[in-house]
């Protein structure tokens, strides 16, 4: 029997998502959530509320990072770089506010890091040549290509 034409390739999940497309946001969410829980704890003991706070923060960041990664593939270099910059600036500004930073310093840090991310990502996306889409020929049931 032949293989169905829409068979998924190795290392791909639902709708053609690679393992890295969900593993990287998950790892970022775990690290971010752990750090947010640590910052919210301060010098006090670790409580269930701190762990829940960190889990929610990590889950939100992982979901946003996954969404930006999936939607960003279809965007041009400018809007894609801007989306990465907004996510990084908001996330770092929030972490700075957890460290008892003032609102003004948190916003300033978020804007500065977001601007740096915008410049770096735009440069990386606009100077790198876009690789052509390559399709692998699959063997027909008769063995021919």
């Amino acid at each position: 029997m032949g293989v169905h034409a829409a068979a998924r390739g190795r290392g791909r999940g639902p709708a053609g998502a690679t393992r890295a497309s969900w593993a990287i946001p998950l790892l970022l969410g775990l690290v971010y959530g752990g750090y947010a829980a640590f910052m919210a704890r301060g010098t006090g003991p670790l409580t269930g509320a701190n762990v829940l706070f960190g889990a929610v923060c990590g889950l939100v960041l992982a979901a946003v990072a996954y969404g930006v990664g999936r939607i960003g593939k279809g965007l041009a270099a400018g809007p894609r770089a801007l989306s990465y910059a907004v996510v990084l600036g908001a996330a770092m500004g929030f972490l700075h506010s957890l460290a008892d930073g003032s609102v003004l310093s948190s916003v300033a840090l978020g804007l500065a890091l977001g601007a740096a991310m915008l410049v770096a990502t735009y440069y990386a996306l606009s100077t790198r040549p876009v690789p052509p889409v390559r399709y692998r020929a699959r063997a027909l049931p008769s063995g021919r290509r």
Side-chain angles (χ1 to χ4, degrees):
M1 266 201 157
V3 177
H4 190 271
R8 294 188 319 210
R10 258 178 101 181
R12 299 208 176 258
T18 61
R19 287 188 188 122
S21 70
W22 60 265
I24 292 173
L26 182 64
L27 181 64
L28 286 173
L30 284 171
V31 171
Y32 186 83
Y35 194 70
F38 174 75
M39 294 301 291
R41 180 176 69 97
T43 58
L46 182 65
T47 63
N50 292 338
V51 173
L52 180 64
F53 178 75
V56 169
C57 289
L59 185 65
V60 168
L61 182 74
V64 170
Y66 180 77
V68 166
R70 295 288 290 171
I71 295 171
K73 291 180 182 178
L75 296 176
R80 189 173 181 186
L82 183 64
S83 64
Y84 289 132
V86 167
V87 171
L88 178 82
M92 292 301 115
F94 178 69
L95 280 183
H96 186 66
S97 72
L98 287 178
D100 292 330
S102 68
V103 173
L104 186 60
S105 67
S106 298
V107 169
L109 180 72
L111 285 175
L113 290 175
M117 181 69 159
L118 176 69
V119 170
T121 309
Y122 183 75
Y123 176 76
L125 291 174
S126 63
T127 58
R128 182 178 54 189
V130 178
V133 177
R134 296 181 186 202
Y135 297 100
R136 287 189 290 157
R138 295 187 182 196
L140 295 175
S142 63
R144 297 181 306 184
R145 286 188 178 240

